[in-house]
Amino acid sequence: MISTKVNDDHPAPVPGATMVCHVVALPYPGRSHINALMTFCKTLSSRLNLKHDNLTILITFVLTEEWLGLIGSDPKPDNNIRFQTLPNVIPSEHVRANQLADFYEAVATKLEAPFEELLVDLDNDKVRLPPVRVIVSDSLLGWPVEVGGRRNIPVASFWPLSGCMFSVLYHFDRFKQNGHFPIKLSERGHELVDYIPGIRSTRLSDISENFFEKEDSKTMKIMLDAVSKVSQAQYFVSSSVYELESQLFDVLKPKFPFPIYPIGPLTTINDPQFHLESNNYIEWLDSQPQSSVLYISFGSFLSVSKTQLDEIVCGIRASGVRHVWVARENVSSIKNGCGEMGFVVPWCDQMRVLCHSSIGGFWTHCGWNSTMEAIYGGVPMLTFPIGGDQFHNSKQIVEDWKIGWKVKKKKKKIICEGTHHGDDDEMNLVRRDEICELVKIFMDQENNDRKVMGERMKQLQKLCQIAISKGGSSHTNIDAFINHILQPDKY
């Protein structure tokens, strides 16, 4: 038997007079994926309990042992959510960026058996636990839909990226059919793609700078195989907002035999008492003028090169703009380089920061969670994509929604740690003087272009607020999903 661990702080509800809906949630083992699915689970828990007096929910949230340790200091979920773990059979999160191919392969091949055994254990514990009613699993895992089929448990495929990126990956064979895979983006990245369902005409280089050049890429094959299995699920849940990508969702819905639920934006602000010893950044923000601070964060995974980081630090300092910077690495050197106008921290409650009145802009790597949180907070963005889906998110932010500006490069190529670039480094850099000039204009609340962008952002912010309000599209979709999982006999 595998070793599983239950979070004893959140004991399972004992079935009695009240009916218990048991959901098993399985995120992809990465910080942004875990955050998105946990936020959805918290939303499910609060909404189901509000809607049904005689019904409660139990969510078994499944992580690797390492990830349970890594999130151990996070705010505790409510009493309806408990943790169980899978053994550490995949490369550590601390080395994932340098072992991507091995990591993807291990996730695709080594977690399925222990997860299915965990389901057997849950099924055997009928005295204490109700039967599992639905599995909510990250779409990029793929294999949970097959496990659910074998166990006769419905599966909701949870997509934590943009709806457009789902269509790109689900219809990836069309790139090959149209002579766009494999290609060299340096030669053909400017060519337009107009054949992906639900997506506006887009330059190849704005879809991704990581997808197109290697036909034998192991990571791409694994990702595409996982996405292809979404069609075997019983539900599809998207972290996007219908109104932001309505053209895409209107095209997708007739393609699948199951319901599609856009339920974003997934947002939560942690208890102010959480990480109280680190909340001095909030006190600092409280002392700053309204809309005067640039928030800077490049995410929890990939990093820019040391050379590019130095240019950013010097450019920010030269701009004289107030800023709060979340830095996972090089915290001391960034603090020393940014000077008196900045506040540098290794962690922050991002949603709380983006909703703070002193924040006037967000320099972001364009992860999907960060993009949605910025729109929810009404904060215009400077986009600086580093990898994967972030390039197309940047394109949506800048060109489609017009709520941000891109930090321009002389050549579209992102510099990541651990990658050899040879003599190309110099020509790929965004220089400090360019950064300084752009940041000053971006944070100038009196600049006409900036005013127009700010007004557009307010419109999208209101759109998202309406979506999650009673009667809004996301609010309605969550209720519909809850009603469906309470009637499994329909499947």
Side-chain angles (χ1 to χ4, degrees):
M1 299 291 287
I2 60 171
S3 172
T4 61
K5 178 182 178 181
V6 179
N7 178 10
D8 293 331
D9 292 336
H10 302 91
V14 179
T18 299
M19 178 182 172
V20 180
C21 176
H22 188 185
V23 176
V24 170
L26 180 65
Y28 196 89
R31 168 61 76 171
S32 62
H33 295 257
I34 293 170
N35 287 351
L37 187 53
M38 177 58 78
T39 303
F40 178 56
C41 288
K42 290 178 179 178
T43 303
L44 271 185
S45 175
S46 62
R47 290 285 292 283
L48 189 144
N49 288 334
L50 283 174
K51 282 175 59 67
H52 300 275
D53 293 334
N54 63 339
L55 183 68
T56 187
I57 191 170
L58 164 64
I59 299 175
T60 298
F61 200 88
V62 182
L63 298 164
T64 62
E65 293 170 351
E66 179 187 37
W67 265 111
L68 182 59
L70 289 173
I71 70 168
S73 61
D74 285 5
K76 296 294 185 277
D78 62 47
N79 287 330
N80 294 328
I81 302 175
R82 65 174 199 152
F83 295 117
Q84 282 204 295
T85 60
L86 303 177
N88 292 326
V89 292
I90 59 177
S92 169
E93 179 65 14
H94 300 295
V95 300
R96 173 162 68 116
N98 296 321
Q99 299 180 18
L100 268 183
D102 291 341
F103 180 85
Y104 273 73
E105 184 173 26
V107 171
T109 60
K110 295 185 178 181
L111 290 176
E112 179 176 355
F115 176 70
E116 186 160 10
E117 192 168 347
L118 172 59
L119 291 179
V120 172
D121 289 346
L122 294 177
D123 189 51
N124 289 337
D125 195 4
K126 291 185 174 68
V127 173
R128 199 170 66 95
L129 297 173
V132 177
R133 193 173 289 266
V134 66
I135 298 168
V136 182
S137 65
D138 195 301
S139 307
L140 289 174
L141 290 172
W143 47 261
V145 293
E146 297 175 335
V147 174
R150 292 193 295 267
R151 304 292 307 168
N152 198 29
I153 303 172
V155 175
S157 185
F158 178 80
W159 184 252
L161 309 179
S162 74
C164 284
M165 189 50 54
F166 174 78
S167 191
V168 164
L169 295 173
Y170 192 79
H171 301 103
F172 201 81
D173 58 324
R174 300 197 182 190
F175 291 107
K176 197 164 190 174
Q177 294 167 8
N178 286 273
H180 281 148
F181 181 78
I183 61 167
K184 289 187 177 181
L185 282 178
S186 59
E187 299 173 358
R188 301 180 61 189
H190 64 282
E191 295 182 17
L192 295 178
V193 173
D194 59 3
Y195 46 78
I196 299 298
I199 297 182
R200 297 185 179 102
S201 181
T202 303
R203 292 178 297 273
L204 279 164
S205 59
D206 281 337
I207 291 176
S208 179
E209 296 197 1
N210 308 111
F211 291 172
F212 297 108
E213 298 200 357
K214 294 182 179 179
E215 188 171 15
D216 61 347
S217 168
K218 182 187 296 184
T219 56
M220 275 302 296
K221 288 180 179 178
I222 291 171
M223 192 183 335
L224 295 177
D225 179 66
V227 172
S228 72
K229 293 176 181 176
V230 167
S231 60
Q232 301 175 37
Q234 282 68 52
Y235 320 91
F236 182 78
V237 179
S238 166
S239 62
S240 186
V241 182
Y242 171 78
E243 288 79 2
L244 287 180
E245 300 185 285
S246 58
Q247 178 181 350
L248 180 281
F249 288 115
D250 288 343
V251 169
L252 285 185
K253 285 182 178 181
K255 286 179 172 286
F256 296 100
F258 47 71
I260 293 179
Y261 301 116
I263 47 80
L266 292 169
T267 58
T268 182
I269 299 178
N270 294 318
D271 187 330
Q273 297 303 311
F274 172 64
H275 276 316
L276 188 60
E277 70 280 5
S278 303
N279 278 347
N280 47 1
Y281 64 88
I282 294 295
E283 296 175 3
W284 184 82
L285 287 173
D286 289 341
S287 68
Q288 306 306 313
Q290 183 172 347
S291 302
S292 67
V293 179
L294 176 66
Y295 172 56
I296 306 170
S297 175
F298 298 134
S300 60
F301 181 30
L302 297 174
S303 305
V304 298
S305 71
K306 177 65 165 60
T307 308
Q308 180 64 84
L309 182 63
D310 289 343
E311 293 296 314
I312 295 172
V313 169
C314 292
I316 293 293
R317 179 167 184 162
S319 74
V321 166
R322 295 176 176 87
H323 56 279
V324 57
W325 189 328
V326 176
R328 295 178 295 112
E329 304 169 336
N330 305 305
V331 176
S332 296
S333 62
I334 293 174
K335 280 184 178 179
N336 294 334
C338 283
E340 299 286 326
M341 298 296 286
F343 201 99
V344 183
V345 293
W347 177 92
C348 78
D349 182 341
Q350 179 164 285
M351 192 68 258
R352 193 174 175 206
V353 168
L354 287 170
C355 290
H356 197 284
S357 62
S358 71
I359 296 296
F362 180 15
W363 183 328
T364 173
H365 67 307
C366 305
W368 186 246
N369 288 352
S370 292
T371 300
M372 290 294 96
E373 289 174 350
I375 296 175
Y376 182 83
V379 181
M381 287 169 271
L382 283 177
T383 71
F384 195 73
I386 299 175
D389 64 310
Q390 297 164 13
F391 298 98
H392 193 263
N393 296 343
S394 172
K395 188 264 184 186
Q396 289 182 285
I397 291 165
V398 176
E399 297 184 16
D400 298 346
W401 301 328
K402 304 184 189 309
I403 55 174
W405 296 342
K406 187 171 184 179
V407 180
K408 298 288 187 180
K409 292 179 176 294
K410 293 181 179 179
K411 180 181 177 183
K412 283 195 172 184
K413 184 176 180 182
I414 297 297
I415 309 167
C416 292
E417 292 289 2
T419 305
H420 176 68
H421 302 285
D423 295 332
D424 287 340
D425 278 2
E426 290 295 314
M427 63 190 301
N428 292 332
L429 290 177
V430 184
R431 297 293 183 181
R432 61 189 68 184
D433 56 336
E434 298 170 313
I435 291 169
C436 172
E437 180 181 2
L438 177 63
V439 167
K440 285 196 291 187
I441 297 173
F442 178 74
M443 292 300 292
D444 180 3
Q445 304 298 319
E446 299 304 314
N447 179 276
N448 286 333
D449 290 338
R450 166 63 200 234
K451 285 182 178 179
V452 171
M453 179 173 57
E455 287 302 313
R456 175 62 178 158
M457 176 58 93
K458 288 179 182 178
Q459 294 172 11
L460 293 195
Q461 180 188 31
K462 184 176 181 179
L463 178 151
C464 287
Q465 290 172 344
I466 292 173
I468 60 177
S469 300
K470 187 173 183 179
S473 61
S474 295
H475 190 279
T476 300
N477 283 335
I478 291 174
D479 283 349
F481 176 70
I482 290 173
N483 289 336
H484 269 99
I485 65 175
L486 293 178
Q487 302 175 52
D489 53 297
K490 293 178 66 175
Y491 296 93

